[in-house]
Structure formats: structure tokens, C-alpha cells
Amino acid sequence: MQQRDVVIVGGGHNGLVAAAYLARAGRTVTVLERLGSTGGAAVSTRPFAGVDARLSRYSYLVSLLPHKIVRDLGLDFAVRGRTVSSYTPAERDGRPTGLLVGGGEERTRASFARLTGDDRAHEAWTRFYATTRHVAERVFPTLTAPLPSRRALRERVGDEAAWRMLFEEPIGVAVEEHFDDDLVRGVVLTDALIGTFADAHDPDLAQNRCFLYHVIGNGTGDWDVPVGGMGALTDALATAARAAGADLVTGREVTRIETDGRSAEVTYRGPDGEATLAARHVLVNASPQELARLLGEVPPAPAEGAQLKVNMLLKRLPRLRDTSVDPREAFAGTFHVAEGYGQLATAYQEAANGALPSAPPSEIYCHSLTDPSILGPDLAARGYQTLTLFGLHTPARLFTDDNDAARSALLAATLAQLDTHLAEPLEDCLAEDADGRPCIEAKTPLDLERELRLPGGNIFHRALAFPYAQEGTGRWGVETSHANVLLCGAGAVRGGGVSGVPGHNAAMAVLEA
């Protein structure tokens, strides 16, 4: 039986980060990936037949990936900032209007005033996000260090009002205290609901944890576009891991892990049948449910996902009813649809009662406006563009009876909401693939569970945790009940999102041991 220092189960981005760090430190490392290529959910693919457009099919923007990891591993990878943060269309007094955030401070201020009638909302916005920036600058550097205690993190934040707002009271309290306008409130709240089925005032603070991770990235909270698509990141990570000496083996599905806490055996299936590797440490870049299954233990209950992911290719961007904004600006940032504060509350309540939201909330952005390299030269020259849509408040439970029918109904309702703000139907702008079919695909939580083995379709693997030590979290937030088996996927403490943080932290835990 071949002996390795470390076997990593799963070749997603976190597994590749761990492999690169450990191989660079001189450990013998093998990564076993069940699919035919590495990358997991952070991949770029050509989903439409005969069309040369590489889309970030599942995950699509980067914020939480520390610059430290990029520097440490010498990654050939870059991101570009978006010139516009967001645009939210609305109708006021019977006329189309909207809120543009970006394009310069004065333009943002003018947009707030145009929407709300004065400067108060913009002033509140500036104060609110100065607070989140303060927290981000202090919290983000701790993500790649041993877990601080709750008290230590609170002292590091050094602002009791900010701590209470983000860590102790439902985020809805702060949103309602800071902002009066329903639309502005909704734009703020959306960061608390990405992939998280929660109300603004849920007492368990799931929405707060989601909000925190969406506003602390690299100390700024900026969400940037990966140049070349998300696959450019995982390709760079795979290159770094191989260059350091790690073995990346695809088409190998791990079926069992056995350990006594000091040594382990990892059994897997491949083209030639079943085989086993011995290892001092095993890192699992999969969900806690999958880890329990591999160990023969009782898995924890899954936390269901709650999102719709839609990928599109357009012949052109659609014209907007609000003619004060160029579509190239509106879609360059996050384009919010049906995400007023009241609309989000209604959609949540409808879904909690077992119905698809009547006005599904969603947000959209156009990757190719910032990075046209994902399009083939011919498509780029003809003005084609990609659109990525992420729908909220669509928990997995809504799809269990008939996933296909629910997906079709939800997609139609979601696009209908978008069409209310367009001067032409989106359908007229869709490109066609080589077989004459519209270039659009939608993924429900159940689709993500089937394709990526995300439990319940949860993009974070399980409910996010605040980034401080809690009972059972261990020193790095990656430890399990077995001393030599570590969790290095999104389900680790300080996991979730495309960050590489769990991979880094699992590697550090191994090197300390």
C-alpha cells in the first residue's frame, strides 16, 4: 500500500490550496477527485453547444480569497474591480427610475437624491458602510490565523455599536434604524440573504453571519471579477500544486476513510477498480455530511440551500425603461430585481409557507463587460454579453415534489420580474446555441446537490458560523473528532464562498502537528 503524508479528498479550490501549501512544505500529497477535472464549483465551462463562451457556471465573483494566498502560492491569477457596484431599477410616481451606486461619489450621491428626494439616504449609506469597512479591516486578517476567542475578536473590532449591529442583533434592526427608503433597505439586506433562507429579523442570526462574510472580503468588502473566469483561479491553483510536487488524480471517488487518530487509510474507486492509500493526515474537501459518510458515522442534518442560479448568453444587452442609465453601466455591477425590503419579506414568507415567490428576488451581473476574455473573439466583436443571475428565497423544499416543473415556473417568474424594468423582452436578446436553442440554463438547489454533492444544495455546505472559537471548533476551525482527519471545505468554520481559507487553515493545522 502506497504511503503518503497527506491525502486530500476532493479537488475543489480549497483542496488545491491545501495541496499547494503542503507540497511546498515538503509533504507528499495526493489529491483524489471524483470528477474528470479539478476545480469543483469554481470552474469555467462552455455550457451552450457550439458557442465559444466560457462561463463561471456555479460561482462567479471573488471577494474572500485573501491576497496572502495569491502571494504565498505565486498564483498566475488576477481580478478586476467593477466600475459600478450596483444598480437597482424602480418605479416612482409612475416613472421608471433607479439607484446607481458607483461611477464616482458625486454620481452616487446624485442618484440617491434623485430616488429619495434629498441627501439623507446617501449620508446614512456612507455612515453605515464606513462601519462595515471598519469591521472588515479588523476581522478579515484573522481568517488565516488560529481562531480568536469571541472576546478577543470583539476587542479587536473595538466598536461596541458595530459589534452589536453585526454580531448580536438581527441585521434588520440596523437596516431599519439607518435607512428609511424601502428600496435602499432592500439593497443593503441582500448581502444577508445570498444562499441563506432567513428573514431580516431571524433570532438565530443566520442572516447576520451571511452579511458579515459578504462585507469583509480583503478588508474592503469589494466583489471583483476573476479575469478569465472562475476556472482561471482553479487552473492556477492546480498548476501551483503540481509544480510543488502534489499528485492530482482525477476520476477517483473516495468510498471510505478509516483512522485510529495517528494513521489512516483512504479507499477509492477508479478505472482499474478499488485501491487504498495510507496517510498520516486526511483532509476532506467535501461537506460535513460527506465526511461522516466516509467515516461510517451518523451525518449531521443538512442545512438546505435557497438559491436559483441562471447562466445566459445574450446577443446584446437589453434596453432599460430608465433611460438615465446606460445598460453597460447598469449590468456591470449587481443589478437588483424585486429586492425592495418589503418584497424580500414577502418572498421569504411565501417560500416559508411552501410556495414559490410570486415576485422572485434576484440579482444579475455581466461578467463580460469587465472581462471580455471569456468570450471568443467573434462573439466579442459582435457585441455578445454574458449574464449571471442569482435568485434568493428559493429553498430546496420547494423543488422536492417536481424539480423540473418548479424550475421552469420559477425561471419564468424571475425573468418576468426583470422584464418589468426593460424596454424590450429579455427573450429577444438571448443568443442561440448550435442547435437553435436559447442560451440559458437554470440550476435549483436540487440540481446543485446532484451535480456538486452540496447537501440540500447549500452553497456553504452548512450554516455559516461567526469567525471566532466556539465549542468544538478546534484551534483552526477545521478539526474533527479524529486527530488526523481535517475538514478543508466550505463547511469548516470560516468556510463558505470562494476563499481558499479552509484549505489554508487545514494546511497550517497539519504543519503545526
Side-chain angles (χ1 to χ4, degrees):
M1 184 186 308
Q2 189 178 12
Q3 174 76 41
R4 307 293 285 172
D5 290 328
V6 183
V7 170
I8 300 175
V9 180
H13 78 282
N14 278 306
L16 296 173
V17 167
Y21 271 106
L22 291 168
R24 286 165 64 94
R27 303 301 196 269
T28 55
V29 180
T30 294
V31 177
L32 299 172
E33 167 55 48
R34 72 179 177 89
L35 299 177
S37 59
T38 57
V43 293
S44 299
T45 58
R46 292 179 173 83
F48 307 122
V51 180
D52 188 13
R54 297 184 72 243
L55 279 65
S56 298
R57 198 170 197 177
Y58 302 107
S59 55
Y60 47 97
L61 291 173
V62 174
S63 177
L64 292 164
L65 173 67
H67 300 320
K68 174 187 187 309
I69 291 177
V70 177
R71 291 193 305 267
D72 285 352
L73 302 182
L75 300 182
D76 181 16
F77 172 72
V79 297
R80 288 181 187 155
R82 299 183 294 173
T83 57
V84 170
S85 175
S86 69
Y87 170 73
T88 308
E91 186 169 302
R92 295 282 167 93
D93 300 323
R95 63 177 178 83
T97 183
L99 176 64
L100 182 75
V101 180
E105 185 67 15
E106 182 57 31
R107 191 165 182 207
T108 299
R109 185 203 61 75
S111 184
F112 271 93
R114 178 171 175 258
L115 179 76
T116 66
D118 57 41
D119 287 339
R120 288 179 299 170
H122 180 250
E123 291 167 357
W125 179 279
T126 300
R127 289 193 300 271
F128 182 86
Y129 283 106
T131 298
T132 65
R133 179 72 174 256
H134 168 88
V135 174
E137 290 170 348
R138 284 151 181 79
V139 171
F140 190 77
T142 70
L143 299 191
T144 49
L147 276 167
S149 68
R150 185 177 186 274
R151 178 178 179 179
L153 190 63
R154 184 173 186 166
E155 290 175 352
R156 184 180 177 92
V157 168
D159 182 329
E160 283 301 305
W163 180 268
R164 183 174 65 253
M165 179 178 90
L166 294 176
F167 292 85
E168 293 185 350
E169 293 180 342
I171 192 66
V173 173
V175 173
E176 292 171 16
E177 285 181 352
H178 282 79
F179 305 102
D180 297 323
D181 187 89
D182 181 86
L183 192 74
V184 177
R185 285 178 171 181
V187 173
V188 176
L189 182 63
T190 55
D191 277 337
L193 305 177
I194 304 296
T196 299
F197 188 56
D199 180 74
H201 290 278
D202 273 1
D204 72 354
L205 304 186
Q207 71 278 24
N208 287 51
R209 298 191 294 273
C210 183
F211 185 84
L212 183 71
Y213 284 101
H214 278 88
V215 299
I216 64 172
N218 277 298
T220 66
D222 293 338
W223 285 82
D224 295 326
V225 176
V227 176
M230 198 61 79
L233 169 60
T234 47
D235 288 348
L237 285 168
T239 297
R242 289 192 180 97
D247 294 328
L248 310 184
V249 188
T250 58
R252 306 298 192 274
E253 180 170 8
V254 174
T255 57
R256 186 171 68 253
I257 299 172
E258 297 179 348
T259 180
D260 61 8
R262 295 181 302 276
S263 61
E265 293 183 357
V266 180
T267 301
Y268 63 92
R269 283 195 301 265
D272 301 321
E274 194 170 82
T276 300
L277 285 175
R280 293 173 59 195
H281 289 90
V282 180
L283 275 55
V284 178
N285 182 26
S287 69
Q289 287 77 13
E290 182 67 8
L291 170 61
R293 186 187 69 80
L294 294 174
L295 290 166
E297 299 172 351
V298 178
E304 66 179 341
Q307 66 285 315
L308 177 75
K309 177 69 163 60
V310 182
N311 296 311
M312 294 172 267
L313 181 68
L314 308 184
K315 295 176 290 187
R316 65 182 184 279
L317 289 175
R319 293 177 288 111
L320 303 176
R321 291 184 61 220
D322 178 8
T323 57
S324 71
V325 178
D326 186 329
R328 294 180 65 87
E329 287 188 307
F331 287 104
T334 300
F335 189 110
H336 296 278
V337 179
E339 290 190 333
Y341 198 66
Q343 289 174 305
L344 289 168
T346 298
Y348 172 78
Q349 197 57 56
E350 289 174 336
N353 291 334
L356 291 171
S358 55
S362 65
E363 40 205 57
I364 306 165
Y365 100 106
C366 178
H367 183 131
S368 52
L369 284 172
T370 304
D371 171 31
S373 72
I374 65 170
L375 297 173
D378 178 62
L379 295 183
R382 292 160 61 189
Y384 278 50
Q385 303 288 355
T386 64
L387 278 190
T388 293
L389 182 149
F390 199 92
L392 308 183
H393 286 337
T394 56
R397 70 190 80 165
L398 302 181
F399 302 90
T400 53
D401 288 343
D402 189 334
N403 186 45
D404 291 342
R407 185 199 306 110
S408 296
L410 179 62
L411 178 60
T414 299
L415 296 183
Q417 286 300 308
L418 172 60
D419 278 348
T420 64
H421 302 291
L422 303 181
E424 58 183 324
L426 181 72
E427 184 179 6
D428 291 353
C429 302
L430 286 171
E432 294 182 345
D433 67 12
D435 299 317
R437 294 172 298 199
C439 290
I440 183 169
E441 65 167 10
K443 306 287 185 182
T444 71
L446 298 191
D447 296 326
L448 297 183
E449 183 173 45
R450 182 186 67 252
E451 296 172 14
L452 299 175
R453 294 192 178 174
L454 300 179
N458 192 309
I459 60 174
F460 306 127
H461 287 188
R462 61 178 171 187
L464 293 166
F466 283 122
Y468 51 69
Q470 297 149 63
E471 184 178 356
T473 56
R475 174 170 162 80
W476 287 94
V478 298
E479 294 81 357
T480 73
S481 59
H482 305 278
N484 65 338
V485 178
L486 304 175
L487 189 65
C488 74
V493 178
R494 304 179 293 187
V498 177
S499 72
V501 169
H504 170 277
N505 291 346
M508 296 305 107
V510 169
L511 296 178
E512 278 191 349

